[in-house]
Amino acid sequence: MPHLCSRNLPKKPNVNMPITERPLTHLVIPDGVNLNAGDQIESFQLVSGPETLFPCFTWTLEFPFPHVYRIVLAGPERPRPPHDNANAPSTFCKFELVSFDKDTCRAMFAFPYPTGQSLDTSGLDNDTRLELRLFWKYQLFTEVWERRGRGTTETVTPVIRDLGARPYALTEHGIIRHWRLDRSRVHLGLGEKAAPIDLTGRRFIMHAADSAFYDAHKTDPLYKHTPFLISTSPPDTSGFQGSTYAIFHPTNSVATWDVGASIDYPSGGLSKQYIQDWGGLEEWVMIGNGVAGVVRTFSDVAGKPRLVGRDWLGYLASTVLLADLPNAQEELEKWPALCVQNDIPCSAMHLSSGYTHDEETGEHLVFYLNKKRYPDFKRMVRIYHQAGMKILPNVKPYLLTRHPDYKRLEDGKGLFFDPLTQKAGRQNLSNNAEDRNGDGSWADFSAPETRAWWAEGIKGLIELGVDGIWDDNNEFFTRDDEILAENHFDFGRQVSYNDGSRIKTGILGRITGTEVMNKGSHDQMEEAFPERRVFVLTRSGNPATFKYAASTWAGDNYTSWHNLRGSQHIQINSGLSLMQNTGADVGGFAGPKPTPELFVRWVQLGVTHSRFCIHSDGSGGKLNTPWMYPEMLPIIRQHIKWRYYILPFLNNLMWQSHLSAAPPNAPLFYGPFASDPVLYTPEIMRGFDAWLGVGQILVAPQLHEGERARKVYFPRTSPTDQACYFDISGQVDYRLFGSSAQERQEGTSMPVFRSGEWATIPTPLEYGGMFAREGTVIPVGRDKATLTALDGPARRYTDGVDAELDKESGGGADGQVGVDDWRGVLIFLPPPSSGLHNKVYEGEWIEDDGISADPSTYLVKIRYWAENMDGSSAVRVQAKAFMTKDGFQPLWSGRLFVFLPEGDWRGVVGAQAGLYPNQRADRAGVGAQVMGQFVVPVEYVL
């Protein structure tokens, strides 16, 4: 790419040799620029000076947000990376040049101070002042320091510092960056990376690959491309933690993040380095209060997660085996009845690609319909819709040379171009026939003809009645950075070189295809059904992909206890990287059939993840289903029904993810728990406990074969925090296990655990391991699939078919679908013996119809506390609902059923005792008492 010099420089000799790594030196202030201390500026720039080996480079510093700075370094053959991964604001912040010395090449800048009009989600308080120090005498390097306090109590500490001897350098086609490394810090993020959760001391490739049957602790890369690295420090003995920072490179080119895996002693020893294979540098650095602060800020930069439809939060079925059978439609049509027969609620079926296989050869042909396997596709969809289940078909972005549309795309420049053969780039691709591969090409989504072809294919599926699109096998692994893309976009992107000339995939980034493929699927669904919430599931992705895809998963995992454990760490880092509706294939996609014990433990973990799907690849007849082990079916049923029981709680977590980027599944040291030093110890960091809703449900699963007890630590927010935790798994008589808990609810075997303590917990096979923290509010509903409305999109599917209500809900069908006409709330107060009265707890949740593209909301706020009534303790609960005029009103509105922890014998003042017909609080295993459910009225506030 051409780059205009900002000054005339002496011509340097042409060195015809590849650059392994050459430092970029001798940058200077541009001619004619006059700066003085105290100036308020919008950007600061340096350019190549007369002594440099590499002329025509420009380095620019800007502050898009108060606690975020951006560096752009570009020059000849290294343009600013083309991307759509970062959403820069229309107006950047002005910042102060605190000091400036042109002769010694030093400057210091104050971070912009947040105002009422400025966007700042960092969580930093007003007493924290940040400054950026810049040095450019020979090599250019930066440091960020924070000041806290004033006068004699002021402290000044470093936050992030370049490696002074090796900060910026050029590689053959790209850039390399080095920072100092503090090995005491914890490093997180980078999207979907292998366990353990702390990335320190390891090296990762920023690239998406089809990594089927991967090792969840070792394999790299996996399926995603997310160059977003978080660095946070454990608190010291005084509780001081210092600011957390995150670095984001929005490029789509292949890169490597070395988080202290290598050591360069002469250059300063321990360091972390980012090596970008192609192009110039765009670097966003975010400073925040703890991990939560930088995650929220990252969502301002990259975009908040999409709002996921309510039905996609239930049990999602999936299997390759059934879709590939000669009588696939016949077998798939039996699925809804099997769910009813086994009393397993189910919300959707993923339709694997077997529906697209050629009738004669078995080859995969995307958008082709195998009418021998599926003689009446619309009938199959109708059967699922009547049963209240959605259909999500699999589509793949490549064509075998024998595909009927191959020549169309080849002639229309819709396939990647190979400069060596001067033809469409070809490689062996999976074709699902007996030889498992075939000659084919990746579709180039930067080409208008490919986007048009894809739109036609998606429209064809929409006409068949499908409810979403499953974008699969979309890593676009063309294997050669010299392969050319058409580079012709008809829509705006943040940075684009849309000049009509082909571009190397090395600089464009292969993952761009993933992003634009998902955009194509999303746009067609949105155009067809603008009133409905679009659901696109993708296997691969970069940050921009999730502007269009609502959900993802951790790819084709392998069945083992080892991978079950690793999936928890992958889940957490994915959530911190804004992939907040995700999970792993429960039971393992490939490999051996899970043992009964392994399958139970995987389900117990899976129901606590933001996405819950049981899947399998069909090899050797492998078919993971909830009823695969009859002796385990009661346990599996209990946990799947628990998933539906807390669906209102899960739905609210997805709302919080959408509004504020709060991850549904988070590490224990997230948010208010960041100051707990125990949470950074190896025992916790290499363990598998996490939050389901930060500070609400502590998930402490048993993930080791044959073990029936384990230690659990209960996080605290401060050294004085003594909040209680309540076991809500509801399956254990602790008296049989000699639990170390110090308190128990009166008259029951249920212990109460305290913040900051360890306890040994019994984990029989039935036990899921979940603890609600004192003050939590958990809204619950029926333990089955339900409708939020009796008509409209919440009941009527895109093909015009209405879900049939079961007999219990007043319908005539012997099916699974009920009505969401009942709402309970679990609340958690300290035991009466604690003597804690009048401490008020508050919580809230959002309800909506679960389907509308622009939904009206119904906000419920709860306040509750214990108080003395005539010498005895009682509980008072207040409930208020806030809704917009003519907005959504749930079918249950008007009253709430209140549940206290098991064994809490107190009454609720002013409430009526009651038990909703056919609704038992302990039916799904939640430890709420059956006798003594209290109905409280809901006050409406318009």
Side-chain angles (χ1 to χ4, degrees):
M1 297 293 171
H3 186 88
L4 297 178
C5 290
S6 58
R7 57 187 288 140
N8 295 321
L9 297 172
K11 188 174 182 180
K12 296 294 176 180
N14 182 21
V15 181
N16 292 316
M17 59 177 291
I19 302 173
T20 302
E21 179 184 336
R22 287 293 184 95
L24 183 62
T25 61
H26 298 99
L27 299 181
V28 299
I29 301 291
D31 290 341
V33 174
N34 295 308
L35 294 170
N36 296 286
D39 287 352
Q40 294 288 325
I41 57 178
E42 295 182 353
S43 68
F44 182 87
Q45 195 170 83
L46 298 171
V47 298
S48 296
E51 299 179 61
T52 186
L53 285 173
F54 303 104
C56 301
F57 275 83
T58 301
W59 182 93
T60 305
L61 170 70
E62 300 166 299
F63 284 85
F65 304 115
H67 292 124
V68 179
Y69 64 91
R70 183 177 75 177
I71 292 170
V72 176
L73 173 63
E77 304 304 322
R78 291 170 182 80
R80 182 180 168 195
H83 70 85
D84 202 25
N85 291 315
N87 307 315
S90 57
T91 303
F92 283 20
C93 300
K94 287 190 175 183
F95 55 103
E96 181 184 356
L97 180 59
V98 178
S99 64
F100 177 71
D101 191 324
K102 187 175 181 180
D103 295 330
T104 61
C105 301
R106 294 169 176 261
M108 184 166 69
F109 310 92
F111 278 56
Y113 193 78
T115 66
Q117 292 74 39
S118 65
L119 177 62
D120 178 41
T121 53
S122 67
L124 294 173
D125 56 40
N126 293 336
D127 195 41
T128 301
R129 301 168 316 282
L130 299 172
E131 60 189 34
L132 187 147
R133 302 174 184 178
L134 177 65
F135 311 86
W136 68 93
K137 183 73 173 178
Y138 171 61
Q139 297 201 78
L140 165 72
F141 65 98
T142 58
E143 299 176 344
V144 174
W145 293 70
E146 67 177 3
R147 295 179 177 272
R148 293 176 183 246
R150 306 282 176 174
T152 58
T153 63
E154 183 182 48
T155 59
V156 184
T157 54
V159 178
I160 176 174
R161 307 169 77 182
D162 288 352
L163 192 66
R166 198 182 174 193
Y168 293 86
L170 305 184
T171 59
E172 184 175 3
H173 302 292
I175 300 285
I176 185 170
R177 284 279 281 122
H178 281 87
W179 299 263
R180 297 188 186 189
L181 175 69
D182 180 349
R183 288 296 294 265
S184 69
R185 294 180 74 94
V186 174
H187 293 87
L188 310 160
L190 294 187
E192 184 186 67
K193 289 302 177 186
I197 185 175
D198 185 4
L199 309 177
T200 308
R202 294 189 283 160
R203 182 183 292 108
F204 303 94
I205 299 174
M206 299 296 102
H207 170 54
D210 186 342
S211 304
F213 322 146
Y214 62 88
D215 184 317
H217 295 256
K218 297 179 179 179
T219 305
D220 183 73
L222 293 178
Y223 300 87
K224 310 299 192 300
H225 179 108
T226 315
F228 170 69
L229 181 72
I230 302 169
S231 177
T232 194
S233 58
D236 62 21
T237 54
S238 68
F240 175 75
Q241 186 178 24
S243 294
T244 295
Y245 69 84
I247 306 171
F248 174 47
H249 296 97
T251 178
N252 289 321
S253 298
V254 176
T256 300
W257 249 115
D258 185 328
V259 192
S262 59
I263 298 175
D264 176 8
Y265 181 76
S267 298
L270 292 172
S271 69
K272 53 178 176 278
Q273 58 181 327
Y274 172 76
I275 308 167
Q276 184 177 296
D277 289 0
W278 290 80
L281 183 76
E282 181 174 342
E283 181 172 292
W284 296 65
V285 180
M286 308 157 213
I287 316 293
N289 180 21
V291 177
V294 295
V295 169
R296 285 193 299 267
T297 301
F298 184 41
S299 72
D300 294 330
V301 173
K304 291 181 172 58
R306 294 182 62 85
L307 183 61
V308 178
R310 183 177 181 269
D311 287 343
W312 301 105
L313 302 178
Y315 160 47
L316 309 177
S318 188
T319 172
V320 172
L321 182 65
L322 296 183
D324 284 356
L325 293 174
N327 63 334
Q329 180 175 334
E330 178 184 351
E331 292 301 317
L332 283 165
E333 286 180 355
K334 297 176 182 178
W335 185 266
L338 285 170
C339 290
V340 173
Q341 176 183 328
N342 290 282
D343 192 19
I344 295 291
C346 181
S347 295
M349 170 62 77
H350 295 69
L351 185 61
S352 291
S353 59
Y355 76 98
T356 68
H357 294 173
D358 182 82
E359 285 106 333
E360 304 302 326
T361 66
E363 293 177 328
H364 168 75
L365 305 173
V366 64
F367 298 134
Y368 174 84
L369 181 59
N370 184 321
K371 293 187 178 180
K372 287 186 177 180
R373 293 180 179 178
Y374 298 84
D376 191 347
F377 194 96
K378 287 187 175 182
R379 168 194 152 89
M380 180 186 70
V381 173
R382 184 167 62 252
I383 288 173
Y384 274 84
H385 287 171
Q386 288 171 340
M389 299 181 192
K390 299 181 184 296
I391 288 285
L392 189 72
N394 181 289
V395 289
K396 306 178 190 295
Y398 59 80
L399 298 85
L400 299 175
T401 56
R402 294 176 289 278
H403 193 290
D405 293 334
Y406 187 89
K407 190 173 189 314
R408 169 190 169 179
L409 264 64
E410 185 176 37
D411 292 345
K413 300 181 180 180
L415 306 173
F416 288 99
F417 185 78
D418 187 344
L420 291 179
T421 64
Q422 291 294 299
K423 296 179 181 179
R426 293 186 180 184
Q427 66 188 70
N428 279 346
L429 296 165
S430 174
N431 70 2
N432 285 64
E434 290 183 4
D435 60 2
R436 299 301 296 173
N437 58 55
D439 201 18
S441 300
W442 291 97
D444 176 10
F445 279 81
S446 75
E449 185 63 23
T450 290
R451 295 196 295 274
W453 166 76
W454 191 260
E456 293 169 14
I458 298 298
K459 286 177 181 176
L461 289 170
I462 290 172
E463 290 171 0
L464 293 174
V466 303
D467 304 283
I469 301 296
W470 175 10
D471 286 348
D472 197 14
N473 295 84
N474 53 354
E475 291 77 28
F476 287 85
F477 193 12
T478 55
R479 304 177 187 165
D480 186 345
D481 282 347
E482 301 286 342
I483 294 291
L484 300 176
E486 192 64 17
N487 191 35
H488 190 115
F489 298 97
D490 53 9
F491 54 92
R493 306 179 78 229
Q494 282 290 313
V495 185
S496 181
Y497 300 106
N498 196 14
D499 57 6
S501 61
R502 285 172 170 157
I503 187 173
K504 292 179 180 180
T505 55
I507 186 66
L508 179 66
R510 304 165 195 166
I511 201 74
T512 302
T514 313
E515 168 195 326
V516 183
M517 172 193 180
N518 278 272
K519 183 180 189 301
S521 299
H522 167 274
D523 288 356
Q524 294 309 310
M525 292 295 298
E526 185 176 61
E527 180 180 321
F529 309 108
E531 76 284 359
R532 295 176 182 265
R533 208 168 300 169
V534 174
F535 186 81
V536 175
L537 171 69
T538 184
R539 189 169 80 177
S540 184
N542 59 356
T545 295
F546 296 97
K547 297 177 182 180
Y548 314 110
S551 185
T552 186
W553 84 106
D556 297 341
N557 57 357
Y558 190 85
T559 302
S560 72
W561 287 92
H562 174 78
N563 287 330
L564 166 62
R565 291 189 288 272
S567 71
Q568 179 76 320
H569 292 265
I570 292 174
Q571 176 80 10
I572 293 170
N573 267 328
S574 295
L576 298 180
S577 305
L578 302 185
M579 291 177 279
Q580 296 186 352
N581 182 242
T582 186
D585 284 345
V586 171
F589 175 75
K593 187 177 180 180
T595 64
E597 182 186 7
L598 175 56
F599 187 57
V600 165
R601 294 305 194 193
W602 216 319
V603 168
Q604 288 171 342
L605 177 64
V607 296
T608 70
H609 286 170
S610 51
R611 170 181 165 81
F612 173 57
C613 177
I614 300 175
H615 191 26
S616 51
D617 68 350
S619 60
K622 183 178 182 181
L623 179 60
N624 292 343
T625 67
W627 45 85
M628 63 192 294
Y629 295 116
E631 71 276 20
M632 298 298 173
L633 180 57
I635 302 175
I636 300 298
R637 179 188 299 121
Q638 162 204 320
H639 284 87
I640 293 179
K641 288 200 167 195
W642 180 85
R643 173 87 180 187
Y644 281 85
Y645 183 65
I646 67 161
L647 197 62
F649 177 73
L650 295 172
N651 187 61
N652 181 62
L653 292 183
M654 296 315 302
W655 264 103
Q656 300 313 312
S657 169
H658 173 64
L659 295 173
S660 63
N665 301 111
L668 296 183
F669 50 79
Y670 199 85
F673 301 90
S675 63
D676 187 344
V678 177
L679 302 180
Y680 301 87
T681 59
E683 188 169 4
I684 296 294
M685 293 295 295
R686 291 186 174 272
F688 309 99
D689 296 355
W691 291 114
L692 176 59
V694 175
Q696 298 174 82
I697 298 178
L698 169 64
V699 177
Q702 176 57 271
L703 303 181
H704 288 84
E705 183 176 13
E707 296 192 7
R708 296 296 182 265
R710 53 152 302 186
K711 290 174 63 179
V712 175
Y713 177 76
F714 298 93
R716 60 184 182 180
T717 58
S718 71
T720 60
D721 178 14
Q722 291 189 332
C724 298
Y725 285 80
F726 302 83
D727 191 331
I728 60 172
S729 293
Q731 295 293 330
V732 180
D733 186 342
Y734 277 81
R735 291 169 298 187
L736 303 179
F737 291 90
S739 169
S740 60
Q742 297 180 0
E743 298 179 71
R744 299 182 187 276
Q745 292 281 22
E746 286 79 351
T748 179
S749 63
M750 182 60 63
V752 176
F753 305 95
R754 289 286 182 177
S755 299
E757 296 179 348
W758 289 87
T760 298
I761 303 298
T763 57
L765 195 57
E766 302 82 6
Y767 182 79
M770 288 165 284
F771 301 85
R773 182 175 160 89
E774 175 186 320
T776 296
V777 169
I778 303 178
V780 295
R782 290 182 175 271
D783 58 359
K784 63 195 302 181
T786 57
L787 302 176
T788 60
L790 296 177
D791 53 25
R795 182 175 185 181
R796 182 161 297 133
Y797 290 85
T798 59
D799 57 356
V801 174
D802 283 353
E804 295 182 357
L805 293 175
D806 62 13
K807 293 178 181 178
E808 187 179 90
S809 300
D814 187 17
Q816 66 147 4
V817 182
V819 178
D820 188 32
D821 59 355
W822 180 90
R823 188 66 75 244
V825 60
L826 311 182
I827 61 175
F828 302 90
L829 300 98
S833 59
S834 68
L836 293 176
H837 298 294
N838 301 316
K839 182 179 180 181
V840 178
Y841 302 94
E842 296 182 346
E844 64 183 43
W845 73 90
I846 294 174
E847 306 235 2
D848 71 304
D849 66 2
I851 188 67
S852 295
D854 185 20
S856 298
T857 57
Y858 184 91
L859 175 65
V860 184
K861 292 190 175 185
I862 298 289
R863 299 177 77 246
Y864 64 93
W865 62 93
E867 59 183 34
N868 276 316
M869 298 285 292
D870 299 325
S872 61
S873 181
V875 175
R876 189 176 294 275
V877 179
Q878 294 177 347
K880 293 184 178 181
F882 298 80
M883 54 184 177
T884 57
K885 188 177 182 180
D886 301 324
F888 171 75
Q889 186 169 347
L891 297 174
W892 61 265
S893 63
R895 61 179 186 171
L896 281 172
F897 285 70
V898 175
F899 300 92
L900 304 180
E902 181 180 340
D904 192 333
W905 42 261
R906 288 173 288 192
V908 176
V909 179
Q912 297 178 340
L915 186 66
Y916 194 85
N918 302 316
Q919 178 67 34
R920 289 190 48 177
D922 66 342
R923 210 169 143 190
V926 176
Q929 60 186 38
V930 177
M931 301 305 295
Q933 299 174 26
F934 303 96
V935 185
V936 298
V938 179
E939 177 186 349
Y940 290 100
V941 181
L942 292 177

